[in-house]
Amino acid sequence: MSSADHNLSQVHEGQVPSAKDMRFGIVVSEWNTEVTRKLLDGAYNTLIKYEAKEKNIAVKWVPGSFELPLGAQLMAESNKFDAIICLGCVIQGETRHFDFICSSVSQAIMNLGLEYNLPFIFGVLTPNNQEQAQDRAGGKHGNKGDEAALTAIKMVGLQQTI
Ligand code: DLZ
């Protein structure tokens, strides 16, 4: 199902635990800042909405999405966070650069979660153009930053129940 038809922030609302004692790291890419800034705002506001404390949310910027996995790993190494949210936007171009970045970054972020036993959330948009990116960064298809934050809260909640 495509992200145009499915919005994680609209499902299972009742099952979202309080984030009041949870600690979150957010790593966000500077590349396509006009989009990633909106993803960050969405993620941050959603964490606050579910009662996370400002002092328990740390934000670090990296130059591009390719640097997200290392930024996330450095945050995990600090042992200060219950989940790490990775936010970026890689727009399809004329070369295969897009494919290399998207596949390596998504794979690396998934591997980090399995290695550290921590939720590492993949909040990287991979649109064909700016319009599709804006549609998913607070536009007609919602804000994927919100969804990334919600996923982080749910996964920390899951971890606490196991
Ligand atoms: C180089 C590059 C290009 C062409 N496009 C994007 C993009 O659309 N989104 C993004 O997050 N980063 C892009 N980058 C930068 C790479 O992610 C990375 O920062 C550089 O290749 C340096 O390692």
Side-chain angles (χ1 to χ4, degrees):
M1 185 179 282
S2 77
S3 61
D5 306 319
H6 193 74
N7 187 332
L8 283 177
S9 28
Q10 288 164 355
V11 292
H12 307 308
E13 272 293 314
Q15 298 169 21
V16 182
S18 166
K20 71 179 160 57
D21 296 318
M22 298 179 183
R23 303 161 305 160
F24 299 94
I26 305 178
V27 198
V28 50
S29 162
E30 290 167 3
W31 201 283
N32 295 317
T33 314
E34 65 288 355
V35 174
T36 60
R37 164 63 65 187
K38 291 179 183 170
L39 297 177
L40 173 60
D41 289 346
Y44 195 92
N45 292 336
T46 297
L47 295 177
I48 298 293
K49 175 179 163 190
Y50 286 96
E51 305 178 306
K53 299 183 185 83
E54 282 183 27
K55 71 177 173 66
N56 287 338
I57 305 172
V59 178
K60 297 291 178 193
W61 290 83
V62 293
S65 291
F66 192 74
E67 283 72 39
L68 287 171
L70 180 58
Q73 179 172 299
L74 292 171
M75 285 192 125
E77 286 284 332
S78 74
N79 286 320
K80 290 179 184 164
F81 305 105
D82 300 308
I84 318 278
I85 300 168
C86 303
L87 302 174
C89 174
V90 190
I91 298 183
Q92 174 79 275
E94 292 177 353
T95 68
R96 294 187 61 211
H97 192 267
F98 174 89
D99 302 312
F100 288 121
I101 294 206
C102 293
S103 62
S104 59
V105 170
S106 58
Q107 188 73 48
I109 290 174
M110 189 186 69
N111 289 345
L112 284 171
L114 300 177
E115 184 181 333
Y116 282 86
N117 265 333
L118 268 188
F120 284 76
I121 310 301
F122 183 71
V124 180
L125 298 181
T126 56
N128 291 322
N129 52 49
Q130 270 287 344
E131 185 185 355
Q132 288 183 350
Q134 294 291 349
D135 286 347
R136 289 158 179 79
K140 67 182 178 191
H141 295 313
N143 188 322
K144 300 301 163 188
D146 296 0
E147 296 182 31
L150 202 50
T151 305
I153 296 169
K154 286 182 178 177
M155 288 304 292
V156 175
L158 173 72
Q159 198 162 28
Q160 289 174 346
T161 65
I162 295 175

